[in-house]
Amino acid sequence: MVIVEMDYRSVTAPVGIVRLVEIFLSCVTFSLVAHDGTFSGSYGIWCMFSWCFCFILTVLIVLLEFTGLCQKIPISWEDFTSAFAMLATLMVLTASIIYPVEFLKNCSGNNCSFKIAATAMSCLCFIAYAVEVGLTRAKPGEISGFLSTIPGLLKVLEAFVACIIFISISDYSRNSGRQWCMAVYCLCFIFALIIIIFTICKIISLFPFSFDKVLTGYNILAVLMYASAAIVWPIFCFDKKYGGGPRPPNCNSCSWDGLVVVTVMTYVNLVVFIVDTVYSVRLVFFTSP
């Protein structure tokens, strides 16, 4: 029989208070958007999913910590909450950018007021999640889970940027160059996701080898793969020889814009992987035991 003990400190501590604010702001945001009824298309659905997903998971975390049931779950709770805080920060940030860009255009009257209010609430929600990341991130010299450290947070960022790439790609089978890039995005995303899941499920400690060195090797390989994608993708998407070209005159959030988003996100993830690699190399080879 599971004994439930209420932990009131979980909701009165700074992190607990911030989470309650996140619940309120995310609920207000998706309620305003749902009332307005304007969230069609892949970007609109992504924004609504981001707010609802963050709201539900934050409520679940608060309830599990308040009842003490989080201690009964056979996972690394610290890693899980740190990874989710980082993921929620990124999801709400992108929603706060995408929603006004896509849905504040050509709006007027009362509907525009709802969209502006939803955007403002989403921005405040992003700030709340960013504060939680700052509160839960491991400080130098502090013993903590991998996902609450800078390399762990970078892994969450890498996986998230890959998700933005996936929702922006409309046609990757047109030529071999795009197919190679898609393979790069998928492989790096899968490995980042495996690392996150293994960390949360406490599987990494069972490995009979140095996880840090394997992670460093993977990061170096990911940098090389993303560097190739950063070169290949623009060539095979925008060069006329491969069916590319300038932006169509009648393009209004068309597939060409998606190609630009993928290009930008490819370079963003390349930079993130480089930072992750430099940090891992310094940690493994230049830090005294």
Side-chain angles (χ1 to χ4, degrees), residues 238-250:
F238 302 111
D239 195 324
K240 292 182 178 180
K241 184 165 58 174
Y242 301 103
R247 191 174 192 265
N250 58 346

Side-chain angles (χ1 to χ4, degrees), residues 10-270:
S10 66
V11 293
T12 57
V15 175
I17 295 173
V18 169
R19 285 172 179 160
L20 294 177
V21 174
E22 294 163 358
I23 292 172
F24 171 75
L25 291 174
S26 58
C27 181
V28 171
T29 303
F30 73 70
S31 298
L32 287 169
V33 175
H35 177 78
D36 182 60
T38 308
F39 54 92
S40 59
S42 60
Y43 287 125
I45 294 173
W46 166 258
C47 293
M48 180 59 85
F49 168 77
S50 297
W51 296 316
C52 293
F53 174 78
C54 295
F55 169 78
I56 294 171
L57 261 292
T58 306
V59 170
L60 182 63
I61 289 172
V62 170
L63 289 177
L64 290 175
E65 290 197 346
F66 181 67
T67 57
L69 293 177
C70 61
Q71 301 174 6
K72 311 294 183 182
I73 303 175
I75 64 171
S76 174
W77 185 254
E78 182 184 3
D79 280 317
F80 172 72
T81 54
S82 297
F84 169 71
M86 182 64 176
L87 177 63
T89 301
L90 296 169
M91 292 179 70
V92 176
L93 172 61
T94 55
S96 301
I97 296 172
I98 292 173
Y99 184 76
V101 170
E102 289 292 319
F103 299 102
L104 272 179
K105 297 181 296 184
N106 304 321
C107 72
S108 60
N110 194 40
N111 287 339
C112 195
S113 300
F114 279 108
K115 292 182 177 67
I116 293 174
T119 302
M121 291 297 103
S122 183
C123 292
L124 292 175
C125 190
F126 156 69
I127 294 173
Y129 278 111
V131 170
E132 182 183 351
V133 172
L135 291 174
T136 58
R137 185 179 70 84
K139 308 302 185 292
E142 187 176 80
I143 299 176
S144 60
F146 171 72
L147 293 180
S148 61
T149 63
I150 292 179
L153 295 176
L154 288 174
K155 278 286 164 282
V156 178
L157 177 58
E158 292 158 6
F160 176 78
V161 173
C163 290
I164 298 297
I165 290 175
F166 293 147
I167 67 172
S168 302
I169 292 179
S170 57
D171 181 16
Y172 64 87
S173 59
R174 178 173 296 184
N175 51 57
S176 58
R178 293 192 188 187
Q179 292 172 6
W180 161 253
C181 294
M182 189 64 177
V184 170
Y185 304 142
C186 290
L187 287 173
C188 293
F189 170 76
I190 291 171
F191 277 107
L193 194 61
I194 289 174
I195 291 170
I196 293 171
I197 294 174
F198 279 14
T199 302
I200 293 174
C201 296
K202 300 180 180 180
I203 298 177
I204 290 177
S205 59
L206 303 177
F207 292 167
F209 47 79
S210 173
F211 171 72
D212 291 336
K213 292 183 179 179
V214 172
L215 190 61
T216 301
Y218 158 72
N219 287 336
I220 294 173
L221 179 61
V223 167
L224 296 175
M225 293 175 69
Y226 256 91
S228 68
I231 297 172
V232 172
W233 181 265
I235 293 175
F236 281 83
C237 289
F238 302 111
D239 195 324
K240 292 182 178 180
K241 184 165 58 174
Y242 301 103
R247 191 174 192 265
N250 58 346
C251 176
N252 184 17
S253 298
C254 62
S255 59
W256 193 91
D257 291 340
L259 298 178
V260 175
V261 172
V262 173
T263 303
V264 174
M265 290 297 103
T266 299
Y267 283 100
V268 169
N269 232 8
L270 174 60

